[in-house]
């Protein structure tokens, strides 16, 4: 028997309302991508509130129990699909629900960022996918998106944050050979094959190198996509009015910035207690071990030779 806690009831009610809205109104989705710990949840919350949309949180998260994951959760959490072809018809059916604003398989997890039932009645939805970088072009075509919005954060800050997380999984424990077995057995475009080969080459590297490699491969690929508009997390934090307005303009929406723009997201709330903006953006400079910083630079420069045209290392 399912315990009907207040949160459980909230999510069930949201799910029902979402179903009704999707059947009676034209839902317009917006897609945000980005690497883990890049501020994507915060951006999703602010943008959704600013354009009057609901949120749908991580429909490709293993917690949603999509057929793609064969019932596995922890061991597949670091997986970021390289090809749209790994998704079955059932996976796509649940993904279609997500882009209509409905949680796949009804998971409370996908309503993590919602705070009230009024959101559910909105006919626009902001979907956040940290696992969507390599399939964003396919998602754009399938859901008729104007542009894909991508949030990018300094790789040192991302790596430092990833090394500190207390999640049940970590990228440096991932077995890329196992995670990408499907891609290994299917024909891939040259650029995706090169990414897969590089992931396998870094499979047994130190944690900071493994994180830096997955960041560099995904960010370089994203920068090369004409349908993606990249926004820096650092710029969004320091110039929110200008940057969020520019973001809304890219997807054809008017935006009214919410009052609580500085509020931490549910994902980062416990890490953002009594921390100022400078520390939020640059604490890695003092706290990330100098040898790790050197290792990260080496990986970034190897995998993305032009990276210093984008980021100061």
């Amino acid at each position: 028997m399912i315990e009907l806690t207040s949160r459980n009831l909230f999510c069930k009610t949201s799910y029902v309302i979402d179903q009704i809205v999707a059947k009676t109104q034209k839902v317009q989705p917006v897609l945000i991508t980005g690497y883990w710990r890049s501020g994507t949840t915060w951006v999703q919350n602010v943008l959704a509130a600013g354009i009057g949309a609901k949120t749908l949180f991580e429909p490709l998260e293993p917690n949603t129990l999509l057929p793609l994951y064969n019932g596995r959760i922890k061991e597949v959490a670091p997986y970021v699909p390289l090809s749209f072809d790994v998704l079955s018809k059932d996976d796509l059916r649940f993904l279609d629900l997500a882009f209509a604003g409905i949680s796949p398989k009804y998971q409370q997890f996908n309503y993590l960022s919602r705070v009230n039932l009024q959101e559910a009645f909105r006919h626009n939805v902001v979907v956040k996918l940290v696992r969507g970088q390599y399939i964003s072009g396919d998602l754009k075509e399938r859901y008729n998106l104007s542009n894909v919005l991508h949030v990018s954060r300094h790789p040192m800050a991302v790596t430092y944050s990833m090394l500190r997380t207390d999640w049940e999984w970590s990228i440096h424990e991932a077995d890329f050979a196992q995670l990408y077995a499907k891609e290994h057995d299917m024909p891939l475009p040259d650029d995706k094959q090169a990414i897969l080969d590089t992931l396998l080459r870094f499979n047994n590297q130190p944690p900071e190198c493994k994180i830096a490699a997955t960041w560099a491969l995904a960010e370089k690929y994203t920068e090369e996509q004409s349908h993606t508009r990249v926004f820096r997390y650092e710029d969004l934090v320091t110039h929110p009015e200008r940057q969020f307005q520019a973001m809304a303009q890219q997807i054809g929406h008017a935006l009214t910035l919410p009052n609580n723009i500085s509020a931490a997201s549910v994902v980062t709330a416990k890490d953002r207690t009594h921390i100022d903006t400078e520390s939020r953006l640059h604490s890695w400079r003092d706290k990330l071990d100098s040898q790790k910083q050197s290792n990260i630079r080496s990986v970034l420069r190897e995998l993305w030779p032009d990276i210093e045209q984008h980021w100061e290392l």
Side-chain angles (χ1 to χ4, degrees), residues 9-19 111 114 117 120:
L9 185 59
F10 168 86
C11 293
K12 282 185 173 294
T13 307
S14 295
Y15 179 73
V16 172
I17 297 171
D18 285 342
Q19 293 271 6
Y111 293 133
R114 296 199 191 179
L117 286 176

Side-chain angles (χ1 to χ4, degrees), residues 216-273:
L217 292 169
E219 294 294 317
K220 179 178 181 293
Y221 179 85
T222 299
E223 285 278 358
E224 294 169 348
Q225 306 309 303
S226 61
H227 61 268
T228 302
R229 301 294 177 263
V230 179
F231 291 84
R232 289 191 180 190
Y233 170 76
E234 290 79 359
D235 294 338
L236 288 158
V237 170
T238 53
H239 304 290
E241 178 70 39
R242 182 171 67 208
Q243 291 297 310
F244 276 103
Q245 289 289 355
M247 186 175 279
Q249 186 176 15
Q250 287 293 334
I251 54 175
H253 283 270
L255 177 137
T256 301
L257 214 57
N259 294 326
N260 62 339
I261 188 173
S262 298
S265 72
V266 66
V267 175
T268 58
K270 68 179 182 179
D271 292 332
R272 290 263 303 276
T273 304

Side-chain angles (χ1 to χ4, degrees), residues 1-9 12 108:
M1 182 175 180
I2 298 175
E3 181 185 359
L4 284 178
T5 62
S6 58
R7 183 64 187 174
N8 184 283
L9 185 59
K12 282 185 173 294
Q108 290 192 47

Side-chain angles (χ1 to χ4, degrees), residues 78-83 86 134 175-204 210 213-214 216-218 221 303:
Y79 176 62
V80 178
L82 292 180
S83 171
V86 302
Y134 296 122
D175 181 350
F176 290 146
Q178 184 179 50
L179 285 178
Y180 289 96
K182 287 186 177 181
E183 282 89 343
H184 184 269
D185 293 335
M186 66 172 56
L188 294 172
D190 289 346
D191 57 347
K192 299 285 184 70
Q193 185 62 53
I195 290 169
L196 176 59
D197 293 343
T198 304
L199 287 171
L200 297 177
R201 182 162 59 86
F202 274 84
N203 205 19
N204 298 311
K210 205 166 180 179
T214 54
L217 292 169
Y221 179 85
L303 300 185

Side-chain angles (χ1 to χ4, degrees), residues 14 24 61 146 172 238 294 309:
S14 295
T24 59
E61 166 70 31
S146 53
H172 49 274
T238 53
S294 178
Q309 296 180 18

